[in-house]
Amino acid sequence: MTDQYMDQYKKEITQVHAPMDLIERTKASVREEERILRERRGQEETFGTAKMRSEHKIMSGTVEMRPEQKIISKAAGYADEKKREKRSAVRKWAYPLTAAAAFLILVSVSLTMRGIKGERSGMDSAFYEESAEAGAGSLEEAILEADAGASAELTTEGVSADMTVESAEEKMAVELTEDEASMEAEARRAENIESIEESAATSINEVQRSTEVRNQAVGETDDTACDMEKEDAAAAKTDLEKKKEAIVEDFADSALAVDYITIEKVDKKPAFCDLDDTKAHIYKGKTFLVRKEKTGWAAYVDAENGIGYVLRGEIENLDKFLEAGNEKLGQLDMME
Amino acid sequence: MTKEEQITAESAVDRYADMVYRLALSQMKNKADADDLFQEVFVRLVSHIGELQSWEHVKAWLIRVTINCAKKHFDLYWNKNVEFIEDEETLRGEEAYEPPSEHPVRGAVLKLPPKYRLAVHLFYFEELSVAEIAKVTEQKEGTVKSQLHRAREMLKDLLREESG
């Protein structure tokens, strides 16, 4: 059915024609349009070709021109050339100049950024280094001093002991000096501890001071940096305390324990030897009659020379007391 | 190429006047607009005639330009948004286009929406293939097929109404 309609449609449409007047009007319009187009193209061609020809002739110098024409054409050519040059001249220097300017800007920006970064990192590192050096240096110095003092004490005592042993007339003096020496050693020890504490305190103070100075200089508090500094100071303090304890322990453990022993020559056995809580301890071939006292130990021993000695010491550990006591006896034997 | 075969705008008017006129009439709402469209298409041809190498080329070009110019006409703000208070024929002094009563199918086709109308005209009268119609109207082939299908359905209804 649709095909039937479509066939009918074809027939109906075939009967429709464009009116003649319309066709004529259209043709006239078309001809007019063609003419206009032709003229336009002609003008363009003429103009374009003529200009090209004239330029070519002027440049090649083949045309004989009237003087005024020459001037005009020269001027025109010159003007054209000038324009061209100007255009090209502008183009010539514009790009390199722009590139150079961009390069300079980039370099200056990068240098500025580096400078800012460098200053900041330099300031930070300088402060850290200073505080670290101050703190650590003073601590180390204190420790070294303490060690040096301790070792000095050892050597001086040993030397003094050796020197005083040589003459028999100075036995009493030796005893006195020994007592004095022990007292002095104790005093020095106390001084050392005090000095260590002082130096630690000063180092901590210096750390804190340097921190304050740095914060002032920077102008604003850096929480992270402050925290780090506080941690450093705390760490320094704990280190110091550990060092002190170690030094004290060293004192207890070292041969200076001998100084804690007092030795006394006796003609006969003391009364405490007969007490029930007195025990006999054999140490390096010697028999020590040992009794625990309120502070430390007391012992009676018969030395190899047949003289009896009473040893007293404020040492808690019996073995150390015996060791120290034996050493003391040994020193006496050498003296005698 | 012989003189008769030389492709010029004027010879194209002689050759394709009816085709362009029928197409313009099927697209425009009145005869006057169809005449304007007819003239515009051939005047435009003048500046493009050098690009066209064969008559088939010219035919396809004319169809495409007619459709585009008609579309442009309807897309104009004036035509979209201005409604005439009085009848167009009174204003223009010409009658609005109406097919004669003895052409019922044409009448029914003119009642179809413009896209369907165009597809029907190009397919059934100009005997272009679906692919050619799609190329000319810049649509997909599927779209053209569906337009033809719907156009047939609508025509059936319209013609049934008229006959009934």
Side-chain angles (χ1 to χ4, degrees):
Chain A
M1 190 176 181
T2 317
D3 293 335
Q4 185 189 349
Y5 283 133
M6 290 306 111
D7 290 337
Q8 193 175 342
Y9 179 70
K10 264 187 198 176
K11 283 179 191 169
E12 290 170 10
I13 289 288
T14 318
Q15 293 172 26
V16 175
H17 297 282
M20 283 313 294
D21 60 330
L22 178 61
I23 293 171
E24 290 308 316
R25 269 188 281 132
T26 305
K27 277 184 179 179
S29 307
V30 162
R31 272 184 239 122
E32 183 64 26
E33 186 68 21
E34 280 175 345
R35 187 187 66 78
I36 293 165
L37 220 64
R38 240 181 284 126
E39 277 178 14
R40 212 183 290 157
R41 279 179 195 156
Q43 278 177 4
E44 281 174 8
E45 278 176 14
T46 320
F47 183 72
T49 318
K51 193 178 179 188
M52 277 166 61
R53 245 187 255 139
S54 64
E55 280 179 359
H56 177 72
K57 280 174 186 171
I58 288 164
M59 281 160 66
S60 62
T62 52
V63 172
E64 276 286 333
M65 291 160 88
R66 288 200 304 273
E68 55 271 26
Q69 272 183 333
K70 276 185 187 171
I71 294 164
I72 293 164
S73 66
K74 262 191 181 170
Y78 182 69
D80 282 346
E81 255 185 60
K82 258 290 192 196
K83 274 187 197 168
R84 234 179 287 125
E85 273 178 16
K86 209 178 175 183
R87 246 184 275 136
S88 60
V90 168
R91 281 178 195 163
K92 272 181 195 168
W93 60 257
Y95 291 124
L97 188 70
T98 315
F103 180 71
L104 278 169
I105 290 165
L106 280 168
V107 166
S108 63
V109 165
S110 66
L111 285 172
T112 314
M113 293 307 295
R114 271 192 207 168
I116 292 167
K117 268 189 189 173
E119 279 174 16
R120 273 212 183 144
S121 62
M123 272 165 60
D124 290 345
S125 63
F127 277 119
Y128 275 117
E129 281 170 9
E130 280 175 15
S131 63
E133 279 173 7
S138 60
L139 262 176
E140 285 172 3
E141 282 167 8
I143 292 160
L144 284 170
E145 280 174 17
D147 285 337
S151 57
E153 283 172 13
L154 269 175
T155 49
T156 47
E157 280 189 13
V159 166
S160 63
D162 291 336
M163 281 171 70
T164 51
V165 160
E166 288 172 4
S167 61
E169 296 171 346
E170 292 171 312
K171 277 186 199 175
M172 294 301 288
V174 166
E175 287 178 2
L176 280 171
T177 53
E178 278 175 2
D179 290 337
E180 284 172 3
S182 65
M183 284 171 67
E184 282 175 10
E186 283 176 10
R188 251 179 261 142
R189 234 173 281 127
E191 280 175 12
N192 280 336
I193 291 167
E194 283 172 9
S195 69
I196 287 162
E197 286 177 349
E198 279 174 12
S199 64
T202 48
S203 70
I204 290 162
N205 286 339
E206 280 170 11
V207 167
Q208 287 172 352
R209 237 179 282 132
S210 68
T211 313
E212 286 168 6
V213 165
R214 181 180 21 179
N215 286 339
Q216 280 171 11
V218 170
E220 53 183 83
T221 49
D222 188 357
D223 290 336
T224 318
C226 280
D227 290 337
M228 282 172 71
E229 287 153 15
K230 284 177 190 168
E231 284 172 14
D232 287 339
K237 220 175 178 179
T238 40
D239 285 340
L240 171 65
E241 286 171 1
K242 281 179 190 169
K243 290 280 179 186
K244 265 202 307 190
E245 287 168 14
I247 287 165
V248 168
E249 283 174 11
D250 285 340
F251 281 170
D253 291 337
S254 71
L256 283 171
V258 173
D259 296 324
Y260 286 97
I261 305 290
T262 55
I263 193 159
E264 188 185 7
K265 197 174 17 172
V266 294
D267 295 326
K268 57 174 180 177
K269 277 187 188 175
F272 71 82
C273 294
D274 297 326
L275 294 170
D276 293 335
D277 54 355
T278 303
K279 302 274 188 276
H281 291 270
I282 297 167
Y283 184 79
K284 290 194 178 174
K286 296 189 186 69
T287 306
F288 292 82
L289 295 173
V290 185
R291 185 176 177 267
K292 188 83 174 75
E293 292 192 335
K294 280 182 188 174
T295 54
W297 300 88
Y300 171 77
V301 61
D302 282 323
E304 288 173 4
N305 52 10
I307 301 167
Y309 295 96
V310 170
L311 300 159
R312 279 196 167 82
E314 291 178 0
I315 297 169
E316 290 296 316
N317 192 294
L318 175 62
D319 291 332
K320 285 188 179 167
F321 170 73
L322 291 171
E323 186 187 359
N326 188 54
E327 241 179 277
K328 202 84 176 177
L329 274 173
Q331 287 170 8
L332 277 177
D333 288 338
M334 281 168 72
M335 283 193 296
E336 292 176 1
Chain B
M1 211 178 253
T2 60
K3 204 179 178 180
E4 291 81 38
E5 290 171 349
Q6 225 175 3
I7 298 172
T8 61
E10 215 173 316
S11 57
V13 173
D14 291 329
R15 206 178 175 102
Y16 295 114
D18 289 343
M19 181 198 79
V20 174
Y21 185 71
R22 287 161 190 159
L23 192 55
L25 212 55
S26 73
Q27 293 297 297
M28 306 314 281
K29 290 177 183 174
N30 57 67
K31 220 175 156 208
D33 287 340
D35 291 354
D36 290 342
L37 180 59
F38 178 88
Q39 275 197 322
E40 188 184 341
V41 167
F42 282 108
V43 166
R44 278 174 181 257
L45 180 64
V46 172
S47 45
H48 291 92
I49 199 73
E51 300 160 10
L52 307 169
Q53 291 160 5
S54 65
W55 285 117
E56 281 79 28
H57 227 159
V58 173
K59 183 182 175 181
W61 190 95
L62 285 168
I63 292 169
R64 196 163 61 246
V65 172
T66 308
I67 293 165
N68 290 339
C69 287
K71 218 173 159 188
K72 218 190 289 181
H73 172 84
F74 287 118
D75 288 342
L76 280 174
Y77 181 84
W78 177 263
N79 291 314
K80 267 185 184 171
N81 298 297
V82 173
E83 267 188 40
F84 291 104
I85 300 164
E86 295 169 359
D87 291 335
E88 273 181 63
E89 53 194 86
T90 315
L91 277 172
R92 288 178 174 274
E94 286 184 27
E95 288 177 3
Y97 179 74
E98 263 186 36
S101 55
E102 57 269 21
H103 295 168
V105 182
R106 260 184 73 205
V109 169
L110 282 170
K111 286 176 187 174
L112 293 174
K115 283 187 180 175
Y116 297 174
R117 210 188 307 154
L118 180 63
V120 163
H121 183 83
L122 292 174
F123 187 79
Y124 288 107
F125 187 75
E126 298 297 338
E127 293 178 346
L128 297 178
S129 66
V130 169
E132 285 170 333
I133 296 170
K135 199 175 175 184
V136 156
T137 58
E138 291 172 354
Q139 293 176 118
K140 289 180 186 173
E141 285 183 30
T143 311
V144 173
K145 281 179 189 171
S146 69
Q147 283 171 355
L148 285 168
H149 175 73
R150 281 182 204 160
R152 279 187 223 118
E153 297 297 316
M154 286 175 78
L155 273 172
K156 266 188 213 171
D157 296 335
L158 282 165
L159 290 166
R160 216 178 284 146
E161 278 175 22
E162 281 188 17
S163 60

